[in-house]
Amino acid sequence: AGMFSANVPPWHNIATIVSGCQNSREAIQLAHLDHEMYKAEMYAVLPDGSQVKVPDLRAIVRMDVNRPLAVVGNDYEIFQNAEAFDLMDTIVGEGQAAYETAGGLDEGRKVWLLARMPKTIHVGNDEINPYILLANSHDRTLSLRMIPTSVRVVCQNTLNLALNKKGSRWLSIRH
């Protein structure tokens, strides 16, 4: 997976840097997250070479590289990256927020989209940029979440920081 960042390079310098913020369709392409996941049946190979279907488990396969990313139960529902990014547009309001970073971690098992809200908050001499973070995983380690944050997410550490902060959670969807 990749990453994009608007205007400010992340500390690790591993991102496509663009001037200006993007809409969600541009963000998903710039971050190389415009691929689909597929829930595939799993088979066990027996000692005699024959195969038997594993009845209660499925593999989540990243379709652009045909790589299994996780094993999940039958009840797991895939929330595609494009669906998640569209949900962000719907909830935030298309054109109301500027998408500032987006990326994938661990071969696309975790993804995020960070939107900067238009109003900067001033506390004394400090400026605080309010963001809305959408985070999701394709390996069942994280429910789809949308949360307000002041953390500019650019890597696993900043994603963890934003997700672990106490405060309100706008949306959480287990899938």
Side-chain angles (χ1 to χ4, degrees), residues 66-143:
N66 288 325
R67 179 171 299 153
L69 298 181
V71 174
V72 298
N74 285 342
D75 61 336
Y76 180 83
E77 294 295 326
I78 297 172
F79 213 111
Q80 300 289 353
N81 294 340
E83 293 173 319
F85 282 35
D86 285 345
L87 177 64
M88 181 81 141
D89 276 342
T90 301
I91 290 177
V92 171
E94 196 162 349
Q96 297 301 309
Y99 295 109
E100 191 157 310
T101 70
L105 300 164
D106 198 12
E107 298 180 318
R109 287 175 179 84
K110 289 183 184 170
V111 297
W112 84 86
L113 173 63
L114 187 73
R116 183 174 175 178
M117 299 310 291
K119 188 174 183 179
T120 300
I121 300 166
H122 296 275
V123 179
N125 292 330
D126 294 330
E127 285 187 356
I128 298 173
N129 296 315
Y131 297 104
I132 297 173
L133 172 66
L134 179 139
N136 190 29
S137 77
H138 297 293
D139 62 1
R140 213 174 204 152
T141 59
L142 180 67
S143 60

